[in-house]
Amino acid sequence: MTDSSRANGAPGAGRDDSLRERWRTALVGARGGAPGPDPAPYADNLLARWAEPQRKYHTTAHLAAVLGHIDTLAPYAADADTVRLAAWFHDAVYRPDRSENEERSAALAERALPEAGVPDGVTAEVARLVRLTVTHDPADGDADGEVLCDADLAVLAAGPEEYAAYAARVREEYGFVPDEAFREGRAAVLRQLLGLPRLFRTPYGAEHWEPRARRNLLTELELLNG
């Protein structure tokens, strides 16, 4: 069992087996049925990245949650398998002390996916979607961008206990940052999110997640400022 599995209170092996199968299905779908290399080594490499010890929130539990939300939002996507591949890569490179994680994750996708048999156009779209998670602000009509960003932000609409656990894990990831500096930085992130005209762009996200997410963000901001 990895440290990330213990942190999220779930057996790592069972979740990883499920994620491997999800990877295989998405990769084969993105290939359009064309033959290609065995998906398993690519899944293992990515899962090892998602289980790195510096991760407390951005773990395989987060990956599994995002993929589950994509399943919910799949009817709104132009190509759900492409969005699923983007979810696998969107935090594949993650160091909380660095600011270029999304760019490095996108570059990883650009190297790995052609080798795995994914067409160039799909690879480019996956990389674009990964880079979009810097801002979570897709353009109007960007169906796949809306689905990925909504799925990534869905944790903001969690119930009170789950949201508190999410916030605590984020703080743990930034344990090297002094309390005052963390409060200032986290408050800036929350204000940036609250300043967006819409947190969620899909009809489902707007209806089911937006109100609770804004309440959660406002509550956390109040606690930070208190």
Side-chain angles (χ1 to χ4, degrees):
M1 184 182 294
T2 65
D3 289 343
S4 61
S5 299
R6 287 192 292 269
N8 290 284
R15 180 167 58 221
D16 286 359
D17 287 344
S18 174
L19 286 170
R20 286 186 184 92
E21 179 58 25
R22 292 186 65 104
W23 165 262
R24 186 196 67 77
T25 301
L27 182 62
V28 171
R31 289 173 180 168
D38 182 1
Y42 297 92
D44 289 343
N45 179 279
L46 286 164
L47 288 170
R49 291 174 178 275
W50 283 90
E52 292 164 341
Q54 76 274 13
R55 299 169 181 260
K56 305 303 176 185
Y57 168 67
H58 293 89
T59 65
T60 54
H62 172 59
L63 172 60
V66 171
L67 290 169
H69 295 313
I70 291 170
D71 289 346
T72 298
L73 301 175
Y76 304 107
D79 188 331
D81 282 329
T82 297
V83 181
R84 292 182 178 103
L85 290 183
W88 273 89
F89 281 96
H90 84 285
D91 285 320
V93 178
Y94 184 76
R95 288 285 301 272
D97 57 339
R98 296 182 180 175
S99 61
E100 71 277 12
N101 291 313
E102 292 85 0
E103 179 57 37
R104 293 177 67 204
S105 295
L108 177 65
E110 289 169 332
R111 294 193 303 272
L113 289 176
E115 182 183 292
V118 174
D120 290 346
V122 177
T123 296
E125 176 66 356
V126 169
R128 183 190 73 82
L129 291 170
V130 171
R131 292 185 173 104
L132 188 58
T133 61
V134 174
T135 61
H136 292 96
D137 190 17
D140 289 342
D142 180 2
D144 288 344
E146 290 176 349
V147 169
L148 179 62
C149 290
D150 278 17
D152 195 26
L153 293 181
V155 66
L156 302 180
E161 290 186 5
E162 185 181 350
Y163 187 88
Y166 148 73
R169 289 180 185 132
V170 170
R171 178 65 184 106
E172 193 175 356
E173 280 188 341
Y174 287 88
F176 58 90
V177 178
D179 285 343
E180 183 175 352
F182 177 81
R183 283 195 296 270
E184 291 177 357
R186 179 67 177 169
V189 170
L190 298 177
R191 285 192 291 267
Q192 183 269 328
L193 289 169
L194 286 166
L196 292 173
R198 294 173 293 163
L199 288 167
F200 300 100
R201 306 303 182 87
T202 63
Y204 184 96
E207 178 181 356
H208 295 279
W209 295 338
E210 183 89 17
R212 178 179 285 178
R214 288 193 175 272
R215 288 196 300 271
N216 284 337
L217 293 171
L218 285 168
T219 298
E220 185 184 358
L221 187 59
E222 289 173 0
L223 291 172
L224 288 170
N225 292 334

